[in-house]
Amino acid sequence: IALAKAEEEELYSDFGKKIDLANQHKVTYLYKDGAVMSVPRNNLSEGLQRRLRVPGMSVSDLSEFSDEIDKLFEKPESYSFSDEARIKEDEMQKEFKSKLLSNIQYGKTNLQTGGIGMENLIKELFECEGYEAKILAKTTFKNSADADIEAWRDDAFLPTRKIYAQVKHHSGTSGSTGIDQVIGAIKDKNDDYFGVFITSASVSDEDRKYAEANNIIVKDGNDVVDLIFSNLDKLSIDTKRKLGIVMVPSMII
């Protein structure tokens, strides 16, 4: 299809009257490199394609497709209805993750209080990723050392290493306390264990550097919701309901 914009000037043509085109409206075609700019029909929505299948002398009311046509004129060289759908899907995913993270941080879920609900969620995420995992008793460690979850996964090529994970259900920013706790948990474990600090909050650059210097992996709230999103098909129905996630197909157009 060729692209042109209607101008204000109206014209009358005696010659055009012979082919029922006496009343005309001046248009300005869009050009690129000396040629009229055009867009493949297959790049349009099926509905707009169908409506354009009319003789060239006909005029059609396409106002119901105004949003699509506006986007078509904004970027004629790259417009694609399927790309627009993908962009909309990306926007919906970002909105979902942002809302989910806020709900987790500020208690707008049905997770058990006292941090236990968050621990159970992380344990299930470990299992979704192929690990075996268990919640550790609060008496497992002495002094300031602590870890909430132990996880492990058999590997045919590498020696099995276990994970000690410290989990915090926070909003705002988590400090270095959780990092210190898991550092204490893996102390004197040689290479048999490695530590992970997981929080629903954010973590400062300074604390990230501190964790890295002590070989501790950090997963913040954004990492947690990314894990939830990538494992939606594996999470239990009960967990999804506690998080307020409803798995219903959605139309993005």
Side-chain angles (χ1 to χ4, degrees):
I1 62 167
L3 300 180
K5 293 184 178 181
E7 307 293 349
E8 293 184 0
E9 185 179 353
E10 295 178 348
L11 305 172
Y12 180 84
S13 169
D14 285 326
F15 173 77
K17 185 175 181 180
K18 299 177 183 179
I19 54 175
D20 197 25
L21 289 176
N23 295 305
Q24 301 177 1
H25 207 115
K26 186 176 181 179
V27 301
T28 300
Y29 283 91
L30 274 64
Y31 283 84
K32 183 183 179 184
D33 299 329
V36 174
M37 187 171 288
S38 62
V39 175
R41 286 176 180 263
N42 288 343
N43 286 9
L44 309 177
S45 67
E46 187 270 338
L48 183 53
Q49 287 185 51
R50 187 174 351 104
R51 290 289 296 277
L52 290 175
R53 292 177 62 186
V54 294
M57 65 181 65
S58 300
V59 177
S60 299
D61 180 1
L62 302 176
S63 56
E64 65 181 285
F65 303 101
S66 59
D67 288 344
E68 182 176 358
I69 292 171
D70 284 343
K71 293 175 182 176
L72 182 62
F73 274 82
E74 287 171 5
K75 47 179 183 179
E77 296 177 81
S78 60
Y79 176 80
S80 168
F81 181 80
S82 58
D83 284 346
E84 289 297 313
R86 177 186 54 77
I87 292 170
K88 183 63 175 177
E89 183 179 13
D90 289 344
E91 291 173 352
M92 292 176 67
Q93 287 182 11
K94 290 178 181 177
E95 183 179 355
F96 168 83
K97 291 179 180 180
S98 176
K99 179 64 174 176
L100 177 59
L101 179 56
S102 177
N103 287 351
I104 291 173
Q105 289 177 339
Y106 295 101
K108 297 180 180 180
T109 68
N110 193 226
L111 294 176
Q112 192 173 347
T113 59
I116 299 174
M118 187 70 179
E119 292 171 13
N120 284 322
L121 171 62
I122 299 302
K123 172 181 177 291
E124 187 170 345
L125 287 172
F126 269 118
E127 292 168 345
C128 289
E129 292 290 320
Y131 288 87
E132 293 184 64
K134 67 179 180 180
I135 304 291
L136 297 171
K138 299 303 179 185
T139 57
T140 303
F141 302 93
K142 296 179 180 180
N143 302 320
S144 62
D146 192 25
D148 299 307
I149 297 171
E150 183 180 22
W152 62 96
R153 179 168 59 189
D154 291 332
D155 193 306
F157 299 98
L158 295 172
T160 300
R161 293 182 67 191
K162 295 184 178 180
I163 296 173
Y164 273 157
Q166 176 63 33
V167 180
K168 298 294 185 185
H169 191 174
H170 289 167
S171 60
T173 303
S174 286
S176 60
T177 301
I179 299 172
D180 286 330
Q181 289 174 319
V182 76
I183 288 173
I186 64 171
K187 186 179 180 181
D188 301 326
K189 293 291 184 180
N190 299 318
D191 292 329
D192 296 332
Y193 285 78
F194 62 92
V196 181
F197 175 57
I198 304 172
T199 176
S200 57
S202 61
V203 179
S204 70
D205 291 340
E206 182 180 355
D207 285 334
R208 287 181 183 276
K209 291 178 182 177
Y210 174 60
E212 183 179 358
N214 287 276
N215 298 316
I216 303 299
I217 297 169
V218 173
K219 297 291 184 182
D220 65 10
N222 288 314
D223 296 320
V224 171
V225 294
D226 283 344
L227 274 171
I228 292 172
F229 186 82
S230 64
N231 286 291
L232 284 175
D233 59 332
K234 299 176 184 177
L235 283 172
S236 66
I237 293 175
D238 182 57
T239 295
K240 283 183 282 197
R241 286 176 177 168
K242 286 180 178 178
L243 293 171
I245 298 172
V246 181
M247 301 294 285
V248 178
S250 176
M251 299 298 296
I252 61 175
I253 301 299

